[in-house]
Amino acid sequence: MKEVFYIDRFEQADALLKPQRVEVLRQLAVPKSCTEVGSVLGQSPQRVYYHVKKLVDAGLVTLVSERRVRGIQEGVYQASAQSYWLSPQLVGTVGTRKVQDELSLGYLLNLVEEVHDDLARIDGGPTLGVSGEIRLPQGNRKAFLDDLRTTLQELFARHGGAEGEAFRLAVACYPKETADD
């Protein structure tokens, strides 16, 4: 089972984005037959099989084994991945996105979409996730952003080069809405 299944084709998204299919898919986190899934969801095995077949055809579910039950071959299915991500490119931007500079929302959205795409295609290997919250006194935003940019540029210069394993570092800094707002 893959960790992430990246859905970047409309047929896959169409097969998945039905509430009943999502429930069937959740049941298939562990191998089960349509009869077993149906008993949990209160649906007939035939109805579950209809949804499972659509998910199998889209590659989102896999037939893992078959067994003979009361003279009938019964399939045992499992989800193809632990999580499913929809590519932002399925819809993409409508019109042109206003990207003025590194401080614009358009620039940050483009960056997040690129990172989303990169992460979905990682197949193991070392990664690092760091998250934190910084509270800036009124009027210190520009100084903080300038300091952050300088620090990152120094890091890139110190560890950058044409040789070696490539890593991507993406830093997103945005105002966080709080319960007080």
Side-chain angles (χ1 to χ4, degrees):
M1 177 185 282
K2 293 169 53 171
E3 190 169 342
V4 176
F5 192 109
Y6 195 52
I7 297 174
D8 58 0
R9 295 190 347 249
F10 286 109
E11 313 81 63
Q12 292 171 323
D14 185 51
L16 177 63
L17 295 177
K18 310 275 190 274
Q20 286 184 315
R21 287 199 196 132
V22 171
E23 288 305 313
V24 167
L25 185 64
R26 286 187 176 125
Q27 290 299 312
L28 295 175
V30 295
K32 290 183 184 170
S33 69
C34 293
T35 302
E36 292 168 325
V37 172
S39 68
V40 172
L41 297 179
Q43 297 179 10
S44 71
Q46 295 82 4
R47 183 166 180 81
V48 170
Y49 179 75
Y50 170 79
H51 294 299
V52 167
K53 178 79 170 106
K54 296 287 188 184
L55 293 167
V56 167
D57 290 345
L60 307 175
V61 165
T62 306
L63 174 67
V64 293
S65 68
E66 290 184 312
R67 59 187 178 205
R68 198 138 186 90
V69 178
R70 293 184 293 275
I72 298 172
Q73 277 302 103
E74 180 178 59
V76 176
Y77 300 90
Q78 185 172 18
S80 298
Q82 294 174 337
S83 64
Y84 294 79
W85 283 12
L86 292 173
S87 168
Q89 301 307 315
L90 285 170
V91 175
T93 56
V94 178
T96 57
R97 182 176 287 155
K98 192 174 184 178
V99 178
Q100 297 144 330
D101 58 31
E102 296 171 332
L103 299 177
S104 71
L105 179 59
Y107 184 89
L108 183 58
L109 288 171
N110 286 343
L111 177 63
V112 169
E113 288 177 4
E114 287 175 28
V115 170
H116 185 267
D117 188 57
D118 288 345
L119 289 177
R121 297 181 195 289
I122 290 175
D123 190 23
T127 62
L128 171 69
V130 177
S131 178
E133 188 172 303
I134 295 174
R135 299 224 173 231
L136 299 173
Q138 192 71 20
N140 284 19
R141 181 187 290 189
K142 183 176 179 345
F144 167 73
L145 293 175
D146 289 343
D147 191 28
L148 180 61
R149 178 183 291 121
T150 300
T151 301
L152 290 172
Q153 286 171 339
E154 288 170 2
L155 182 70
F156 292 148
R158 195 166 47 249
H159 295 282
E163 306 270 331
E165 187 177 10
F167 278 82
R168 173 139 192 210
L169 174 65
V171 176
C173 185
Y174 52 91
K176 185 172 185 324
E177 193 173 301
T178 63
D180 301 341
D181 292 343

